[in-house]
PDB file of all heavy atoms in Angstrom:
ATOM      1  N   TYR A  74    -106.379  -4.227 -76.231  1.00  0.00           N
ATOM      2  CA  TYR A  74    -106.537  -5.686 -76.182  1.00  0.00           C
ATOM      3  C   TYR A  74    -106.570  -6.363 -77.553  1.00  0.00           C
ATOM      4  O   TYR A  74    -107.251  -7.365 -77.725  1.00  0.00           O
ATOM      5  CB  TYR A  74    -107.806  -6.047 -75.393  1.00  0.00           C
ATOM      6  CG  TYR A  74    -107.788  -5.532 -73.980  1.00  0.00           C
ATOM      7  CD1 TYR A  74    -108.893  -4.874 -73.443  1.00  0.00           C
ATOM      8  CD2 TYR A  74    -106.673  -5.665 -73.162  1.00  0.00           C
ATOM      9  CE1 TYR A  74    -108.884  -4.387 -72.145  1.00  0.00           C
ATOM     10  CE2 TYR A  74    -106.657  -5.171 -71.867  1.00  0.00           C
ATOM     11  CZ  TYR A  74    -107.753  -4.532 -71.367  1.00  0.00           C
ATOM     12  OH  TYR A  74    -107.735  -4.047 -70.075  1.00  0.00           O
ATOM     13  N   MET A 123     -99.562   3.164 -69.739  1.00  0.00           N
ATOM     14  CA  MET A 123    -100.807   2.644 -69.169  1.00  0.00           C
ATOM     15  C   MET A 123    -101.787   3.790 -68.898  1.00  0.00           C
ATOM     16  O   MET A 123    -101.418   4.781 -68.266  1.00  0.00           O
ATOM     17  CB  MET A 123    -100.467   1.925 -67.861  1.00  0.00           C
ATOM     18  CG  MET A 123    -101.654   1.375 -67.130  1.00  0.00           C
ATOM     19  SD  MET A 123    -102.381  -0.041 -67.958  1.00  0.00           S
ATOM     20  CE  MET A 123    -101.282  -1.343 -67.428  1.00  0.00           C
ATOM     21  N   THR A 124    -103.009   3.633 -69.396  1.00  0.00           N
ATOM     22  CA  THR A 124    -104.040   4.677 -69.250  1.00  0.00           C
ATOM     23  C   THR A 124    -103.405   6.077 -69.367  1.00  0.00           C
ATOM     24  O   THR A 124    -103.545   6.922 -68.474  1.00  0.00           O
ATOM     25  CB  THR A 124    -104.830   4.523 -67.922  1.00  0.00           C
ATOM     26  OG1 THR A 124    -103.921   4.452 -66.826  1.00  0.00           O
ATOM     27  CG2 THR A 124    -105.705   3.295 -67.923  1.00  0.00           C
ATOM     28  N   SER A 165    -115.875  -1.155 -73.108  1.00  0.00           N
ATOM     29  CA  SER A 165    -115.958  -1.430 -71.676  1.00  0.00           C
ATOM     30  C   SER A 165    -114.581  -1.447 -71.035  1.00  0.00           C
ATOM     31  O   SER A 165    -113.613  -1.921 -71.620  1.00  0.00           O
ATOM     32  CB  SER A 165    -116.634  -2.783 -71.447  1.00  0.00           C
ATOM     33  OG  SER A 165    -116.767  -3.007 -70.059  1.00  0.00           O
ATOM     34  N   SER A 166    -114.521  -0.916 -69.814  1.00  0.00           N
ATOM     35  CA  SER A 166    -113.333  -0.970 -68.982  1.00  0.00           C
ATOM     36  C   SER A 166    -112.238  -0.071 -69.549  1.00  0.00           C
ATOM     37  O   SER A 166    -112.443   1.122 -69.692  1.00  0.00           O
ATOM     38  CB  SER A 166    -112.877  -2.410 -68.817  1.00  0.00           C
ATOM     39  OG  SER A 166    -112.067  -2.504 -67.683  1.00  0.00           O
ATOM     40  N   TYR A 167    -111.102  -0.629 -69.964  1.00  0.00           N
ATOM     41  CA  TYR A 167    -110.076   0.219 -70.580  1.00  0.00           C
ATOM     42  C   TYR A 167    -110.664   0.855 -71.835  1.00  0.00           C
ATOM     43  O   TYR A 167    -110.434   2.033 -72.145  1.00  0.00           O
ATOM     44  CB  TYR A 167    -108.855  -0.627 -70.943  1.00  0.00           C
ATOM     45  CG  TYR A 167    -107.568   0.136 -71.104  1.00  0.00           C
ATOM     46  CD1 TYR A 167    -106.448  -0.185 -70.326  1.00  0.00           C
ATOM     47  CD2 TYR A 167    -107.436   1.157 -72.025  1.00  0.00           C
ATOM     48  CE1 TYR A 167    -105.245   0.492 -70.473  1.00  0.00           C
ATOM     49  CE2 TYR A 167    -106.233   1.848 -72.178  1.00  0.00           C
ATOM     50  CZ  TYR A 167    -105.149   1.508 -71.406  1.00  0.00           C
ATOM     51  OH  TYR A 167    -103.968   2.181 -71.560  1.00  0.00           O
ATOM     52  N   MET A 192    -112.834   2.750 -66.695  1.00  0.00           N
ATOM     53  CA  MET A 192    -111.819   2.964 -65.663  1.00  0.00           C
ATOM     54  C   MET A 192    -111.647   4.487 -65.567  1.00  0.00           C
ATOM     55  O   MET A 192    -111.222   5.126 -66.527  1.00  0.00           O
ATOM     56  CB  MET A 192    -110.558   2.252 -66.111  1.00  0.00           C
ATOM     57  CG  MET A 192    -109.277   2.800 -65.592  1.00  0.00           C
ATOM     58  SD  MET A 192    -109.111   2.623 -63.858  1.00  0.00           S
ATOM     59  CE  MET A 192    -107.370   2.382 -63.781  1.00  0.00           C
ATOM     60  N   ASP A 200    -109.699   0.001 -60.926  1.00  0.00           N
ATOM     61  CA  ASP A 200    -108.836  -1.183 -60.950  1.00  0.00           C
ATOM     62  C   ASP A 200    -107.685  -1.259 -59.952  1.00  0.00           C
ATOM     63  O   ASP A 200    -107.421  -2.305 -59.377  1.00  0.00           O
ATOM     64  CB  ASP A 200    -108.237  -1.351 -62.355  1.00  0.00           C
ATOM     65  CG  ASP A 200    -109.255  -1.913 -63.300  1.00  0.00           C
ATOM     66  OD1 ASP A 200    -109.545  -3.100 -63.217  1.00  0.00           O
ATOM     67  OD2 ASP A 200    -109.784  -1.141 -64.108  1.00  0.00           O
ATOM     68  N   TRP A 201    -106.969  -0.161 -59.747  1.00  0.00           N
ATOM     69  CA  TRP A 201    -105.687  -0.334 -59.042  1.00  0.00           C
ATOM     70  C   TRP A 201    -105.850  -0.415 -57.528  1.00  0.00           C
ATOM     71  O   TRP A 201    -105.256  -1.287 -56.887  1.00  0.00           O
ATOM     72  CB  TRP A 201    -104.709   0.795 -59.391  1.00  0.00           C
ATOM     73  CG  TRP A 201    -104.591   1.104 -60.849  1.00  0.00           C
ATOM     74  CD1 TRP A 201    -104.778   2.318 -61.444  1.00  0.00           C
ATOM     75  CD2 TRP A 201    -104.257   0.206 -61.926  1.00  0.00           C
ATOM     76  NE1 TRP A 201    -104.597   2.232 -62.803  1.00  0.00           N
ATOM     77  CE2 TRP A 201    -104.275   0.953 -63.126  1.00  0.00           C
ATOM     78  CE3 TRP A 201    -103.959  -1.152 -61.992  1.00  0.00           C
ATOM     79  CZ2 TRP A 201    -104.001   0.395 -64.376  1.00  0.00           C
ATOM     80  CZ3 TRP A 201    -103.688  -1.712 -63.237  1.00  0.00           C
ATOM     81  CH2 TRP A 201    -103.702  -0.955 -64.395  1.00  0.00           C
ATOM     82  N   TYR A 214    -102.010  -8.571 -64.434  1.00  0.00           N
ATOM     83  CA  TYR A 214    -102.476  -7.755 -65.564  1.00  0.00           C
ATOM     84  C   TYR A 214    -101.312  -6.931 -66.124  1.00  0.00           C
ATOM     85  O   TYR A 214    -101.115  -6.859 -67.345  1.00  0.00           O
ATOM     86  CB  TYR A 214    -103.606  -6.836 -65.085  1.00  0.00           C
ATOM     87  CG  TYR A 214    -104.114  -5.894 -66.153  1.00  0.00           C
ATOM     88  CD1 TYR A 214    -105.110  -6.297 -67.048  1.00  0.00           C
ATOM     89  CD2 TYR A 214    -103.599  -4.609 -66.288  1.00  0.00           C
ATOM     90  CE1 TYR A 214    -105.570  -5.442 -68.039  1.00  0.00           C
ATOM     91  CE2 TYR A 214    -104.058  -3.748 -67.270  1.00  0.00           C
ATOM     92  CZ  TYR A 214    -105.048  -4.163 -68.143  1.00  0.00           C
ATOM     93  OH  TYR A 214    -105.494  -3.311 -69.127  1.00  0.00           O
ATOM     94  N   GLU A 301    -114.405  -5.056 -61.195  1.00  0.00           N
ATOM     95  CA  GLU A 301    -113.174  -4.346 -61.570  1.00  0.00           C
ATOM     96  C   GLU A 301    -113.335  -2.829 -61.536  1.00  0.00           C
ATOM     97  O   GLU A 301    -112.494  -2.132 -60.973  1.00  0.00           O
ATOM     98  CB  GLU A 301    -112.688  -4.827 -62.945  1.00  0.00           C
ATOM     99  CG  GLU A 301    -112.255  -6.277 -62.865  1.00  0.00           C
ATOM    100  CD  GLU A 301    -111.779  -6.877 -64.173  1.00  0.00           C
ATOM    101  OE1 GLU A 301    -111.293  -6.153 -65.035  1.00  0.00           O
ATOM    102  OE2 GLU A 301    -111.925  -8.116 -64.314  1.00  0.00           O
ATOM    103  N   ASP A 302    -114.390  -2.320 -62.163  1.00  0.00           N
ATOM    104  CA  ASP A 302    -114.544  -0.857 -62.242  1.00  0.00           C
ATOM    105  C   ASP A 302    -115.943  -0.450 -61.796  1.00  0.00           C
ATOM    106  O   ASP A 302    -116.746   0.040 -62.582  1.00  0.00           O
ATOM    107  CB  ASP A 302    -114.243  -0.394 -63.670  1.00  0.00           C
ATOM    108  CG  ASP A 302    -112.788  -0.655 -64.034  1.00  0.00           C
ATOM    109  OD1 ASP A 302    -111.913  -0.042 -63.430  1.00  0.00           O
ATOM    110  OD2 ASP A 302    -112.530  -1.520 -64.898  1.00  0.00           O
ATOM    111  N   HIS A 332    -118.335  -7.320 -64.240  1.00  0.00           N
ATOM    112  CA  HIS A 332    -117.552  -6.416 -65.080  1.00  0.00           C
ATOM    113  C   HIS A 332    -117.707  -6.791 -66.555  1.00  0.00           C
ATOM    114  O   HIS A 332    -117.489  -7.955 -66.916  1.00  0.00           O
ATOM    115  CB  HIS A 332    -116.085  -6.501 -64.671  1.00  0.00           C
ATOM    116  CG  HIS A 332    -115.202  -5.553 -65.414  1.00  0.00           C
ATOM    117  ND1 HIS A 332    -115.347  -4.202 -65.342  1.00  0.00           N
ATOM    118  CD2 HIS A 332    -114.153  -5.767 -66.226  1.00  0.00           C
ATOM    119  CE1 HIS A 332    -114.434  -3.610 -66.087  1.00  0.00           C
ATOM    120  NE2 HIS A 332    -113.691  -4.544 -66.638  1.00  0.00           N
TER     121      HIS A 332
HETATM  122  N1  LIG B 701    -110.450  -3.608 -65.743  1.00  0.00           N
HETATM  123  C1  LIG B 701    -109.481  -3.700 -66.819  1.00  0.00           C
HETATM  124  C2  LIG B 701    -108.545  -2.505 -66.779  1.00  0.00           C
HETATM  125  C3  LIG B 701    -108.921  -1.235 -67.218  1.00  0.00           C
HETATM  126  C4  LIG B 701    -108.023  -0.198 -67.140  1.00  0.00           C
HETATM  127  C5  LIG B 701    -106.781  -0.401 -66.608  1.00  0.00           C
HETATM  128  C6  LIG B 701    -106.447  -1.644 -66.156  1.00  0.00           C
HETATM  129  C7  LIG B 701    -107.307  -2.703 -66.220  1.00  0.00           C
HETATM  130  C8  LIG B 701    -110.187  -3.957 -68.116  1.00  0.00           C
HETATM  131  O1  LIG B 701    -111.058  -4.810 -68.097  1.00  0.00           O
HETATM  132  O2  LIG B 701    -109.872  -3.426 -69.164  1.00  0.00           O
END
Side-chain angles (χ1 to χ4, degrees):
Y74 301 133
M123 178 71 81
T124 53
S165 183
S166 201
Y167 201 122
M192 153 66 146
D200 283 285
W201 313 125
Y214 177 86
E301 294 179 27
D302 295 294
H332 183 62

